[in-house]
Every structure is written in structure tokens, then in C-alpha cells.
Amino acid sequence: MKEKPAARVARLREEIRRHEHLYYVLASPEISDLAFDQLMAELRALEEAHPELAAEDSPTRRVGGEPVSELPQARHVIPMLSLDNSYNEGELEEWHARVVRALGRAPAGLVAEAKIDGVSLSLTYRDGRLASAVTRGNGEVGDEVTANARTIRAVPLRLPDAVPEVTVRGEVYMPRAVFEELNRARRDEGEEPFANPRNSTAGTIRLLDSRECARRRLHFFAYQVPRIEGRELARHSDALDLLAAWGFAVNPRWRRCTELAEVHEFIAELGAGRAGLPFEIDGVVVKVDDVAEQGMLGATSKFPRWAVAYKYPPEGVQTRVCGISVQVGRTGALTPVADLEPILLAGSTISRATLHNADEVARLDVRVGDTVWIAKGGDVIPKVIAVDGSKRPGDSEPFAMPLACPECGTAVVREEGEVAVRCPNRACPAVLRQRLLHFVARVGMNIEGLGERSVDQLLREGLIGDAASLWQLDFDRLAALPRWGGLSTANLRSQLDAARSRPLWRLLVALGIRHVGERAARVLAARFGSLDALSAATEEQLCEVEGIGPTIAASVVAFFADPASRSLVDRLRAAGVDPHEEVAARAEAALPLKGLTFVLTGTLSEPREAVAARLEAAGAKVAGSVSKKTSYVVCGEEAGSKLAKATEFGVKVLDEGELRSLLADRGVTWD
Ligand code: IVH
């Protein structure tokens, strides 16, 4: 007999929860992603057909809801304290000695845990259901982010045990791979990248739009049960076991120790493997295990006396900051940059490192004269990660971001909800220069022979102004300039001629429309075919295009509504820069790779992001890791573990040549 809908819904929910736990908490899935998606689809269909069966804690309710205008504030029943820091064995021993003095004996046991570099979150469950999620805030009052927390798969929406009320605390974090993917996409769209995973976690968990939060794939580790009604937990380690039994993700990197020496060992072991972890940790938290002893030790107004953080030294090399300069980017954003005493780092000499934005400078409190640690980020751009306070000169002063643009003197602005401070002057010479550099760059119109030096020279000589003026260049005057002998001038002339027939997507990227990177540009080019058609599109029409969301749509419309960009486009057109492409008859035809998932590994003939953008524009998904659901693994030179995974899962492996023929078969051109 066929199962009744109510029974089937209940069974599906239970099954899905079990698979979520296997996948997100235990990282050992039993079924393929496809099979999982099918269970979800069945549940969603049943819930739609039988609205009376809807439930708040159904796994279908993790997708996020309508955006809100602000986050409500909520008071913590138990304040969220911070931790006192220690930086070496000696300081840890001093903490231990204070504990022993206060208790009159050694504590019965200690627990050492990895200190995850994320954002702490306090979850309250009532009658076994997730009731609220609140950020730390000032420790007393935080932001209520329940809708966002519900999208984190490692946060159970219900507990197997209907305790009347329990508070669970832990760390929300962004795995390194997710962070790097997010920053790649942001850079591609002309957005400021986040400084580090903690920064992007803080920004993401406080998003007003929980659907965007769902897309960012945050993770969560539970590490504390400060309050549980109707039950006694004698030890902190019991709480960790209970959390794991309830289905929370508990970081397995913790150890119960009886002696401080074992804690030192744990710190050394974890420190050695730190760089290889899929998420960032910044130290080890050491806690007194026995809850009664914790009570005897109590807390100061800021920290519990029963716990302490041991902070690892930052990963990187040390050098001195000789100065801090401020660069103005293509969007007018001001980026502080540290000028460094040159130092060798991972094979290259570094003399500058980004400080990202005013918030990051303030957080690090970097000053001229400071000795700092620098490291290469995942994206290989060197960054300042910490200041060595012990080497700070006595007379140093905090750095303040300028209130006026360092290039044109216009007062800077900071838009609501943005980290970047911007120069609003569209005629700012620095902005014009950066826009021009972006226009001719490899990702844009790819005009060889126009590097930074040449562009600066041509600007200085007044030979060019904006992008369109490149095609009005006075070649006689150019040929008379130093370094522009006959051959270089002729080369540039033929480059500019050839650029007239660059594909439309390149021109769209080159124009620097906000949020339009290579992926969106390819989609728009395939759908609209010309600047004319694109400029006539309404926001609604743009939103209808698969892969184009409201942010991109609004930005495209704003771009073409702006008289300055319209004039630029008109002058480009007059110069013969107006590519037309055949428009795909149906939206589907523009996505010949729809339904396929690719994983790229090893060195390819182009940067992996560029290859990924081509695939995505044709409708494919590009994932960071291999699963059973992966359609193809594309292998370049020196491919590593992903290739092994592909073999393990029986996923088809292509080399670049095979990828190109697969694309050709499906009518996807390489340029
Ligand atoms: S216990 C009373 N355990 O570190 C203090 N905190 O620097 C309770 N953190 O605000 C915190 N991993 O955001 C604890 N395993 C862990 C942790 C951890 C990361 C964070 C947490 C806290 C900060 C203090």
C-alpha cells in the first residue's frame, strides 16, 4: 500500500536530516548529491501539495527568506565573555598557576581545543527547536541572525531531545576553499575582496538577505553549552560529547588532558598541521574541564578565569613598514597599502602589501615604523597579517585614512553598508587611469603593447583621455615620443585595429560595469548580442536571463542610463568598436553545458578562474572538490589529490585538449 503523505513527509525529513548529518557534520556521505537532491525535491513537492504538513524545522526551510531592513538586537541570558590571551608556554603556565592557587589544588582535568578563527554565535533551542541565533555583539547584546543561522547546514534545526531550553555556543566560520571562491567572484565583479575568512564570515552572518547568506556556505562548530534546563553537565568534555550526539558538528581536534605538559604537546601537534587544515585556526583554547571548578574560579568582567586562549604566532615573515600609501582604484575605492622593507617571501621579493581597507588598518592598528608579519593570501596577493607589538617604536602614531582623495582632493564618501571609502569624483585622474588600464588589460580588450608605463606616458603627453580616445590616437605625435619607434607604433596601430573585432563579452568586461565580470559578460553577450540591444534591456528583461540576478541587472541599467557612459559607448561605436554577435535563439541554447559539473585541477594553459568562467557562462557548474556528482575532472599539469579522487569515484577525467573538443562538440567556442 502506498504510504500516506504525512508518513512519507516524516520519513523523508528524517532521511534527509540523517544524510545532512552524514555529509555536513561527519563528512562521510552515504548517497550521491543527486540522490540527496531527489529526496529534497520529493519532500518539497509533497509540502507544496499538502500545505497543512508544513513545518518550520523541515530541511526544506534552509534556503533563506525575504531580506529584512535591519537586524533586531537581542540580549544574552548569559553574557558572552571573551578570552584572555597567552602567547607562549610561560604565559600559559602563569594562567595554570593562578588556577591552582585559586582552587587550592590542580584542576581535575583540562580540555584543549582548536581555536577556530571565525565569529561566535549563541543558539537557543526551545523544546528541541532552534528558536534564536544571536551574535556576540558587545557580549551583553548582539544581533539576532536566526534566519541566516538556519541556512547553515551544520546547525541542526531541531534536536533529537526536546529539552525545554538549552543554549549552545560555537564558532561560525568560512572554510578556506569557500572564502577563496567568494573572493574570486567578488574580484571578478569589481567588488572589494574580503581581507580574510573571519572578515567574510562576520560580513556574511550579518547579511540582511538570508538567501545570499545561504549561497555563501558558512560552517559551524559547537563548543559550549553554557545553560541547559533540567540536566546537569558535570564536565565540559561531557558537553562536547552531548553536542556531537545531538548532531552538532564538533571539531574533532580537542583533547582531555590531566597535565599541562599534555596541553603543550597538543599545541605543538596542532600547530604543525595548522596550515593544512581546511579552515583557519589562530590558537588553542584551554579550559578547566570540571564545571564545579569552573564555578569556583568564576570570571572577571571580561574573561572567565577557567579558560584561556593560547595564540599561535602568525604564519609568515617579518619586515618593517616604511610607509603607508593610499591607492585609488577603478571604482574610486581607496586602498591603504604598506610600503615594506623588501623581503623574500615564497620565492619572490615583496616590497608592498595590501591593508585592504580602513576597518582592517584599524583592527590591525598598523603604523609606520611597525614590524609586521606578512603572508601571501590564497590569492597570492601579499597582505599584512599582524603587528609585532613588542617592536613598535615609542613615538609611532595611529594611521588615519585620508578624508580627501590623495589624487584629486575630493572629499571621500563611505556608502551605507560598504567597507570601502571612495573618491566620488568621476573625473579623478587616478580613477580614469585605472579604468583605462582595466580596459586594455588581458581580462578586458587585451590590447598588447599598452602596459602601465605606456598608458602613463600617453596620459602625461595628453595623447589619450578615455578608452574611446585610443582610436583617435595621433600616431605621428606618438612616433616622435621616446620608446615609440616605428615598429612599436605600427604594432599598436594593428592591435587597435584588431581590437575592433574582439568578442562583445570582452568589451563588456572592459567597460568596467560594476558586478559584471567575465561570467556575467559572457552570459549577457550571448543573450543580447550587441551594446545596442543590451542598453535597451529593462531590469525585468535582464533578470529573466539565467545567471543574471537583480544586482547585476540594476547595475547594467544604471550604467547605460548614465550620460557619461552613454557618451563613451557612442564614441566607441563611432570608432568602429561595436561588436555584434549572433544571439542564441533560446536561452537554453546559450547554456549547452547546463547540468554538468566540472572540477578543474593542475596547471592549465589559462588561469583556472578564466577556464571556470567560460564553463559557467555556458551553463556548467564549477566545483572546488570532486564528488560522485562531478561530471568531469579537467586535469592540467601537476594535478594532485583531485585526480586521485576522480579515479576513486569513477569520474571521467579530461585533459585540456579533450575539454576543448567536448566544448566544440557542444558548440561552445573557446573565445
Ligand atoms: S570558548 C567564555 N572555544 O574565541 C569563552 N571559544 O578569543 C567561551 N573561539 O569569543 C569561548 N574557538 O569566538 C571557545 N573552541 C573554542 C573556540 C572559541 C574559537 C572564539 C570565540 C571567542 C573567542 C575568544
Side-chain angles (χ1 to χ4, degrees):
M1 199 186 80
K2 204 160 171 271
E3 233 176 333
K4 290 238 171 64
R8 182 70 188 148
V9 161
R11 273 229 324 200
L12 278 169
R13 284 180 186 156
E14 201 178 306
E15 255 318 88
I16 291 171
R17 279 183 197 118
R18 194 171 72 81
H19 290 303
E20 279 186 336
H21 186 247
L22 282 165
Y23 188 98
Y24 292 101
V25 177
L26 304 178
S28 62
E30 272 178 13
I31 58 170
S32 71
D33 290 6
L34 185 65
F36 180 83
D37 292 347
Q38 281 166 348
L39 291 177
M40 275 297 240
E42 188 187 345
L43 176 59
R44 217 172 282 125
L46 276 171
E47 287 180 349
E48 265 167 35
H50 302 276
E52 73 282 3
L53 299 177
E56 267 283 284
D57 61 357
S58 171
T60 54
R61 301 287 188 95
R62 284 196 187 272
V63 285
E66 288 298 308
V68 293
S69 56
E70 60 177 350
L71 297 170
Q73 301 271 292
R75 183 165 286 279
H76 296 291
V77 178
I78 298 179
M80 287 183 88
L81 299 180
S82 173
L83 289 173
D84 201 1
N85 289 326
S86 62
Y87 294 93
N88 50 50
E89 286 197 8
E91 289 178 10
L92 200 54
E93 267 151 26
E94 284 168 25
W95 168 79
H96 191 252
R98 285 196 298 276
V99 169
V100 173
R101 242 189 339 267
L103 292 176
R105 57 180 157 78
L110 297 168
V111 171
E113 298 169 16
K115 184 172 185 301
I116 317 296
D117 205 2
V119 172
S120 50
L121 194 65
S122 189
L123 307 171
T124 302
Y125 289 81
R126 278 196 201 96
D127 301 322
R129 298 228 172 354
L130 177 64
S132 79
V134 184
T135 63
R136 179 165 180 274
N138 63 9
E140 301 281 337
V141 174
D143 292 314
E144 211 221 281
V145 292
T146 317
N148 286 344
R150 291 177 65 92
T151 70
I152 305 173
R153 307 260 175 182
V155 170
L157 298 180
R158 63 189 246 165
L159 305 178
D161 193 339
V163 241
E165 189 152 323
V166 58
T167 300
V168 173
R169 287 183 181 161
E171 199 82 349
V172 183
Y173 66 94
M174 189 174 275
R176 293 189 213 255
V178 175
F179 166 74
E180 273 155 31
E181 212 176 300
L182 174 67
N183 260 1
R184 211 184 306 134
R186 283 177 76 88
R187 217 171 277 123
D188 187 34
E189 291 173 1
E191 289 292 285
E192 290 300 306
F194 286 111
N196 49 49
R198 178 183 11 80
N199 223 280
S200 59
T201 305
T204 302
I205 194 66
R206 299 184 64 260
L207 279 170
L208 299 175
D209 183 352
S210 50
R211 285 171 301 203
E212 176 57 20
C213 181
R215 282 191 279 274
R216 301 250 189 112
R217 287 176 292 143
L218 292 174
H219 216 293
F220 179 79
F221 277 135
Y223 55 60
Q224 202 192 6
V225 181
R227 189 170 70 105
I228 178 165
E229 230 170 85
R231 198 175 312 187
E232 288 286 314
L233 288 170
R235 305 189 306 179
H236 169 66
S237 47
D238 295 339
L240 293 180
D241 290 339
L242 177 69
L243 287 169
W246 271 352
F248 283 94
V250 174
N251 188 348
R253 291 154 200 90
W254 68 273
R255 188 176 296 168
R256 185 164 196 277
C257 307
T258 30
E259 304 278 330
L260 196 59
E262 291 169 63
V263 174
H264 290 315
E265 245 171 62
F266 177 83
I267 290 176
E269 276 171 37
L270 189 66
R274 181 181 167 205
L277 293 176
F279 44 81
E280 291 199 348
I281 63 172
D282 61 343
V284 168
V285 183
V286 187
K287 303 172 181 176
V288 167
D289 194 22
D290 188 285
V291 172
E293 287 177 356
Q294 289 183 0
M296 286 186 251
L297 291 162
T300 69
S301 61
K302 284 199 214 134
F303 318 116
R305 292 194 193 85
W306 50 265
V308 71
Y310 170 89
K311 298 282 281 262
Y312 286 120
E315 296 163 316
V317 294
Q318 276 204 345
T319 187
R320 218 176 56 88
V321 177
C322 326
I324 297 178
S325 45
V326 173
Q327 288 180 350
V328 184
R330 163 166 76 84
T331 61
L334 268 53
T335 305
V337 176
D339 301 310
L340 305 167
E341 249 165 41
I343 178 121
L344 195 68
L345 173 63
S348 47
T349 303
I350 307 296
S351 53
R352 297 161 73 74
T354 180
L355 292 165
H356 294 282
N357 52 49
D359 286 359
E360 185 65 1
V361 179
R363 190 187 69 83
L364 293 166
D365 185 21
V366 182
R367 305 179 182 191
V368 175
D370 270 348
T371 298
V372 293
W373 275 278
I374 58 165
K376 285 199 175 164
D379 40 23
V380 205
I381 297 170
K383 55 183 174 186
V384 173
I385 48 175
V387 173
D388 186 344
S390 69
K391 297 189 182 158
R392 170 167 287 171
D395 57 354
S396 76
E397 288 192 15
F399 173 77
M401 281 293 273
L403 299 175
C405 170
E407 300 280 345
C408 69
T410 308
V412 298
V413 293
R414 184 172 187 158
E415 278 161 39
E416 179 81 24
E418 281 211 20
V419 275
V421 173
R422 287 180 206 276
C423 167
N425 174 12
R426 292 212 310 213
C428 171
V431 174
L432 292 179
R433 172 178 179 274
Q434 294 291 348
R435 288 181 63 95
L436 205 48
L437 286 171
H438 176 76
F439 189 87
V440 302
R442 257 180 59 177
V443 287
M445 291 294 267
N446 193 16
I447 299 177
E448 271 174 41
L450 274 182
E452 254 184 79
R453 246 176 85 183
S454 318
V455 166
D456 285 343
Q457 187 188 21
L458 298 190
L459 281 170
R460 223 177 20 247
E461 297 292 336
L463 281 176
I464 53 172
D466 65 2
S469 70
L470 285 169
W471 283 273
Q472 269 122 40
L473 201 56
D474 180 340
F475 285 100
D476 294 336
R477 275 185 64 197
L478 180 66
L481 294 182
R483 296 195 303 112
W484 285 98
L487 197 58
S488 331
T489 310
N491 270 345
L492 181 58
R493 192 197 285 264
S494 67
Q495 277 285 328
L496 287 167
D497 277 341
R500 289 200 174 92
S501 44
R502 291 272 194 272
L504 176 60
W505 72 263
R506 284 198 170 272
L507 179 58
L508 294 179
V509 172
L511 286 172
I513 307 170
R514 264 185 98 187
H515 304 291
V516 177
E518 183 173 337
R519 191 195 60 78
R522 283 176 180 273
V523 172
L524 292 171
R527 174 67 186 76
F528 292 95
S530 69
L531 283 177
D532 235 7
L534 181 61
S535 65
T538 63
E539 256 180 84
E540 293 74 36
Q541 287 166 336
L542 287 161
C543 277
E544 278 167 18
V545 180
E546 167 107 21
I548 303 297
T551 316
I552 297 179
S555 166
V556 168
V557 168
F559 178 84
F560 286 107
D562 173 17
S565 21
R566 270 222 301 276
S567 134
L568 174 65
V569 167
D570 286 346
R571 282 176 299 119
L572 282 169
R573 197 179 283 137
V577 186
D578 187 17
H580 278 64
E581 281 171 20
E582 209 173 298
V583 175
R586 287 176 303 121
E588 279 301 302
L591 300 172
L593 303 183
K594 202 174 157 104
L596 296 181
T597 304
F598 289 81
V599 171
L600 308 178
T601 179
T603 312
L604 301 168
S605 66
E606 287 182 16
R608 283 216 291 268
E609 299 89 85
V611 178
R614 287 173 191 286
L615 298 174
E616 284 173 351
K621 257 200 212 161
V622 178
S625 59
V626 182
S627 73
K628 286 184 198 153
K629 201 179 157 188
T630 310
S631 324
Y632 296 102
V633 170
V634 180
C635 249
E637 273 167 43
E638 288 174 43
S641 60
K642 288 179 189 164
L643 180 55
K645 266 270 164 64
T647 322
E648 185 189 326
F649 287 133
V651 173
K652 193 147 177 19
V653 177
L654 304 177
D655 64 22
E656 196 174 324
E658 289 168 322
L659 173 67
R660 287 186 191 228
S661 30
L662 176 110
L663 297 190
D665 286 349
R666 294 192 177 232
V668 183
T669 48
W670 191 259
D671 203 308

